[in-house]
Every structure is written in structure tokens, then in C-alpha cells.
Amino acid sequence: MTLIPDSTPNQADVIIVGAGIAGLSCATRLAEAGLRVLVLESSDVPGGRARSWADPGTGIDVDIGPHVLLNKYPNMRALLECLGTADQICWQTEELLTVLDEGKHLQFKVGGLPAPLHYVRNLPQVLRKVPLHHLFSNIRLGWRTMRSTPQELMSLDDQSGRDYLRSVGVSPGFIDWFWASASMAILNVPVEQCSAASLMRLLAQGLGHNDLAFGFPKVGLSELYAWPAIRLLERSGGEIRFNRAVNGLHRRDADVAGVTLADGSTVNAAAVVLAVQPTAIESVLPPDHSLASTAARFEPSPYVSCYLWFDRPLTNARFWARPWSPECFNTDFYDLSNIRNGATGPGSMIATNIIWSHRVAGMSDQAIIDATLDEIADFAPEARQAHLVNAAVHRIPMSVPCARPGIETSRPQVRQEQGLFVAGDWVDTGLPFCMESATRAGALAAEQVLAERGVTVSLALPTPVPGGLTKWLRRNDSAKGF
């Protein structure tokens, strides 16, 4: 599909504000469709909240924080295929996850029986930690979730995760052991503060797929997608300009006609895509704009990521986790020396995440490193004898927006008005806040931009549909109630 641009050489057909996943996902698709695309990025590097750079102490690429993909991310995987970097993902298919719980290594697997029976093989692991009656307290929850339509799950958005779990009979002990960790690890917010709709949509997916697998980038995120996307954009006639902060829309009469930059200059375009996080909307739109008032409802969930280099190998593991506890620090750990094929130095390079990191905001970097060393040694005792060669602490104001009650129904539509679109993990994609949501949002925005020019095309891949027995249990979308 090729479109003939109708713009003059000194203006773009489409301006995309922001060079993160959503912006570059949108830009590459529009450029391939034949539009003259200009990406404006306020910083001097691409990637946004999913970027990488060379660590100044070691010269080795580090991400802003370690990221994990799922094999149920069709839009992200399609983008990587298009960019030629799909082979740079290390898929963990032999097991799903190892959890270090009070000194015990609990190894969880999927597969075997049809969904949702695929978790049965993990019963011996679970029963080592949870009494059977606590586990059985989830039966009503699982049945309701599998029988619910997406609309019915969305109706739970006014409740907190903990309140809803208690209302359907899940035991407090199981909530504290499992659901508190699941909410923090996936939604980046405590279970008592998260939207029940967000949490149950995740459960519906988890119950519906018996082949889930995690994937870990073998290279830095910028090399995985950002720079390859920019090269594709430029080959297709598009352009990216760094250090170009946008501080408003340019209008001709009432119509969107481009953007104004921080230096006062104007760039013209018939369409503008705001591919920025919600906290950046206020710098572009006036406070009385409906999108600005919507964006103000989205609260950042901060996190802290640590990178530690040791003088010797510590583990054979790629990835492990710890149950959430306010008394602990890190929740997920990655031995990148077992992922990046020798590109991390002779010893172990371990990355970690402290999610919902308000509790460590006042701690020094050294105190955070010391606490992280202790938690690594809980899993890999060899760390107590190893020499720490280098360490870095990254403090990130926003990992994703907080999935608080009411936020799912607040997520904006892609098309805001004639000529104005929004993309990002926080728009209404049908997915939790994640890289897949951002990638899908970019594709949805590209669809809408083209539709406004009279071209109907499907670019965004649908969210995965639960399969197995779950597929037959779910009622039609027209069904009402549970």
C-alpha cells in the first residue's frame, strides 16, 4: 500500500511527538504507507521509557530498567519482525518462572493440559507454601472470570483488587501470598490500590493460555527496536529530530495545523500524534482540553533499577522473582550474562527492579546496592564471596501509570479530534500498561491517521483470545451479569 503525499517539501504529512515505542511504532507504519513523517523528540536519544545506553563505568549497554516480553505480544513481535530484530529475543520456554520464597526455589511451568488446567502441574509447588483450602478459595473467582465477557470485567473498574478478591471469597492468606505479588509485578501497584478490572483482565489471559513464555532482549532496548525503527523510518523518507520539545499545537482557525516548538517556531502538518506519557500532555495542550484533563488522572508508578557486575558467574538462571513484601526491595532479577551471549563481561551482570519505589526514595544509591546484594545472595549464595566490580542505580519517575480503580475506564481513545491523535501504553488498547500496549497504540493511531485520509487498513493485531476450555466457557459479549 502506497499513498502519494499531498504535502509540500517544507512540511510533514504527519508529526509524531515522542520517539518511544508508541511513536516509533506509529511512525514506521505511516512511513511505509507513503506519508512524509516527522518525529520530534524532546531528548537527545530515542526510546522514552524503554531505552538503553552504554554504562559509563563498564561501557556495556544497560536499559533504563530490565524489561520482559511475553510470547502473547503479537504487535511487539510483529514490529521486531519488521525491523529484523526478532531473533534478538531469548525465549524461556522450559519453565515459566522461578520464585524464591523464604529460601525455597519454587519452579512454575505451563503446558500439558488444556487451559485452564495447565496450572495443575504446579500444585506440588504451591502446596509447599499454601494450604489447600486457601488455594480452593480461588475457584469461584476463576469460574467467574472465565465466564465473564470483556465488558463485564471492565465493570469491575470501580473496585480495588483486594476488595473484589475478598468479595468472591478468596482467602486473605492467598491474597497476601499470590495476588499482592501478581499485582505489583504486572500492574506495578499494590493489590489494595489496583483496579479489579485491570487485575481480572490479566487473570482471564493467564487462565486462557497454556503456552505462556517470557522473552528477554539479548541486546539493549535501543538496539532492539529504537535505532532499527529510525533506520526504517529514514529509508522510507521520514525524519526524526532530537532536542525538539513541543509546547503546543499550531491551529489554523480551529483546525490542527501542526505544532509549535519551545523555541517559538512552527512545524506544519495536517495530523499530529501525541505519543508521549500522560505526564507530558500538560506541556503540549491547554488545561481545558479534554485530553489534558484525562491525562491528569494518570499517576506515575516509580521504580528503581540496579545493575551489578561481579567478577565471576553466579547463577545458571536467566530470571527469578521474589514475592512482594513492603519490607523487601527488589521483586525481579535478571542474570543478563545468561541472556546476552557473552556481551556482558566475564562474570555475572545482574539487573533488578524495585517496583513502587516510594519506600526507597530517600535511600542513597549505596544503601540500595547493599540491600540488593543481600537479596541476590539469598538466591545465589556465591554472591557473598564474589567481588562487586561495578554497580549502577537508575531512578525512574514512571515505569507505567498506576492502574488504580477508575483508570481503565478513563483511558482515552486514539482519535481526539480532526487531525489530533494520541498513542502510548495508557490509551485504550484493551491491554495492561506495557510495551505491547504502547506498540498496539502506535498501530491504532496509524490506522486512524490513514482513515482520516480515506484509507481503510488494519495494522493493529488483536489482543490474544483465551483458548482451551476457557474459550468454551466464556459467554457471548451480549451476556449481562456474571
Side-chain angles (χ1 to χ4, degrees):
M1 176 190 63
T2 302
L3 300 177
I4 298 174
D6 59 11
S7 57
T8 59
N10 63 350
Q11 72 176 18
D13 294 322
V14 184
I15 292 171
I16 297 175
V17 183
I21 293 178
L24 293 175
S25 168
C26 185
T28 53
R29 287 169 167 86
L30 291 176
E32 288 190 304
L35 296 187
R36 185 178 294 113
V37 179
L38 172 61
V39 179
L40 300 174
E41 168 57 45
S42 62
S43 73
D44 59 357
V45 292
R49 286 177 283 139
R51 67 182 186 275
S52 58
W53 60 88
D55 173 72
T58 63
I60 296 172
D61 275 359
V62 292
D63 299 321
I64 190 171
H67 284 59
V68 62
L69 284 73
L70 277 175
N71 60 341
K72 300 302 178 183
Y73 281 4
N75 290 278
M76 186 68 184
R77 296 186 72 175
L79 177 62
L80 297 183
E81 288 284 354
C82 178
L83 300 177
T85 58
D87 61 346
Q88 294 302 309
I89 301 296
C90 174
W91 293 104
Q92 181 163 288
T93 55
E94 64 275 14
E95 71 173 46
L96 181 65
L97 174 66
T98 296
V99 176
L100 177 67
D101 191 354
E102 296 182 344
K104 294 183 173 61
H105 291 207
L106 308 180
Q107 295 178 316
F108 295 98
K109 300 183 178 182
V110 294
L113 297 173
L117 303 178
H118 54 294
Y119 292 111
V120 170
R121 64 190 302 183
N122 296 301
L123 275 177
Q125 299 284 338
V126 175
L127 293 177
R128 290 169 63 185
K129 296 299 303 178
V130 180
L132 190 59
H133 68 280
H134 285 320
L135 182 61
F136 280 177
S137 72
N138 290 270
I139 291 176
R140 184 183 175 199
L141 170 71
W143 177 258
R144 279 194 173 196
T145 304
M146 288 187 291
R147 292 281 289 158
S148 296
T149 66
Q151 291 80 4
E152 289 168 340
L153 294 178
M154 185 63 75
S155 72
L156 304 175
D157 194 38
D158 62 344
Q159 302 178 56
S160 78
R162 183 177 288 275
D163 286 346
Y164 177 69
L165 292 168
R166 291 294 304 273
S167 74
V168 295
V170 181
S171 70
F174 196 88
I175 294 173
D176 291 338
W177 181 74
F178 176 80
W179 287 110
S181 295
S183 177
M184 191 64 72
I186 303 174
L187 299 176
N188 292 16
V189 68
V191 68
E192 51 273 347
Q193 299 181 44
C194 81
S195 162
S198 299
L199 197 58
M200 292 307 103
R201 288 164 83 178
L202 292 174
L203 176 60
Q205 290 293 326
L207 291 174
H209 302 285
N210 70 346
D211 59 345
L212 291 174
F214 289 121
F216 313 100
K218 299 178 185 178
V219 295
L221 289 170
S222 294
E223 291 303 322
L224 179 69
Y225 81 92
W227 290 114
I230 290 169
R231 289 192 287 270
L232 187 154
L233 170 69
E234 292 175 340
R235 287 197 304 270
S236 302
E239 181 185 359
I240 184 168
R241 298 178 190 170
F242 294 105
N243 299 306
R244 294 294 190 273
V246 172
N247 68 357
L249 294 178
H250 169 56
R251 292 183 182 271
R252 187 173 293 112
D253 297 326
D255 297 331
V256 173
V259 298
T260 58
L261 303 182
D263 63 6
S265 62
T266 298
V267 184
N268 297 318
V272 174
V273 180
L274 301 179
V276 296
Q277 63 191 39
T279 53
I281 291 293
E282 65 180 3
S283 65
V284 181
L285 297 178
D288 60 348
H289 194 284
S290 60
L291 181 60
S293 59
T294 296
R297 302 174 196 163
F298 287 75
E299 174 192 345
S301 177
Y303 71 121
V304 172
S305 289
C306 300
Y307 285 83
L308 300 94
W309 287 263
F310 297 87
D311 66 343
R312 66 195 72 178
L314 299 184
T315 75
N316 294 318
R318 299 188 188 106
F319 168 55
W320 71 95
R322 294 168 64 107
W324 156 251
S325 168
E327 288 77 37
C328 296
F329 294 87
N330 299 276
T331 55
D332 44 314
F333 303 75
Y334 308 77
D335 192 333
L336 298 178
S337 53
N338 298 323
I339 295 171
R340 293 194 177 179
N341 298 331
T344 59
S348 279
M349 173 185 174
I350 295 182
T352 72
N353 278 326
I354 302 174
I355 300 173
W356 192 251
S357 60
H358 308 76
R359 64 195 185 283
V360 304
M363 293 178 61
S364 68
D365 286 0
Q366 187 58 55
I368 290 174
I369 291 168
D370 291 343
T372 298
L373 282 169
D374 287 339
E375 292 183 348
I376 292 172
D378 288 342
F379 183 86
E382 296 86 349
R384 302 191 191 280
Q385 284 75 48
H387 174 63
L388 183 65
V389 176
N390 191 63
V393 175
H394 302 166
R395 298 175 185 262
I396 303 100
M398 174 187 278
S399 55
V400 293
C402 294
R404 291 192 183 276
I407 209 65
E408 290 291 351
T409 48
S410 297
R411 294 172 73 168
Q413 297 297 312
V414 166
R415 187 180 187 275
Q416 290 294 302
E417 58 176 285
Q418 179 79 18
L420 180 62
F421 309 85
V422 61
D425 63 350
W426 59 292
V427 308
D428 185 12
T429 61
L431 294 160
F433 306 122
C434 61
M435 289 192 291
E436 173 68 4
S437 182
T439 309
R440 188 167 196 265
L444 290 170
E447 287 180 0
Q448 292 294 312
V449 170
L450 292 170
E452 203 167 82
R453 299 172 71 90
V455 178
T456 301
V457 61
S458 294
L459 298 173
L461 298 174
T463 57
V465 176
L469 300 178
T470 306
K471 175 182 178 181
W472 305 108
L473 288 172
R474 175 165 289 187
R475 299 197 302 277
N476 292 330
D477 287 357
S478 60
K480 304 296 182 183
F482 285 112

